[in-house]
Amino acid sequence: PKKSLLTILLAGASFAAPAVAQDVQTALKDIEAERFTKAGQALTQLASSAPTADNQFLLGYFYLRSDQVDHAKAAFEKGAAADPKNQLN
């Protein structure tokens, strides 16, 4: 299940602007390698500059993987509020 989620996230990132997609892919790889500080900085910046449902999901995913459940819940809720029809949040 974890690998399939990562595959979905990487595929979704490829549809974004190339520079942003590269940043997202790098951040997801950093999460998988448990380089949480680096991943957190990139995803927090992305979610702040473009608070879309997808970006909030990515931030929530980071928080879950780094055992910050309360922050994950807040990010997922913010994503759901940004786009209630988005099934990721």
Side-chain angles (χ1 to χ4, degrees):
K2 185 174 18 172
K3 289 293 182 190
S4 62
L5 178 59
L6 181 59
T7 302
I8 291 168
L9 294 173
L10 289 174
S14 66
F15 293 111
V20 173
Q22 184 63 38
D23 290 345
V24 169
Q25 290 177 353
T26 299
L28 292 172
K29 288 177 184 176
D30 287 337
I31 291 170
E32 294 307 310
E34 297 185 1
R35 292 186 294 262
F36 295 123
T37 301
K38 186 176 176 187
Q41 290 171 344
L43 294 173
T44 300
Q45 182 178 1
L46 179 64
S48 294
S49 65
T52 65
D54 289 343
N55 291 343
Q56 292 301 321
F57 173 80
L58 292 169
L59 184 59
Y61 176 71
F62 155 73
Y63 284 134
L64 276 180
R65 291 296 311 275
S66 60
D67 294 324
Q68 300 179 62
V69 178
D70 291 338
H71 288 293
K73 181 180 178 193
F76 292 140
E77 288 174 350
K78 189 171 183 180
D83 183 0
K85 294 181 181 180
N86 189 317
Q87 296 180 4
L88 289 177
N89 294 290

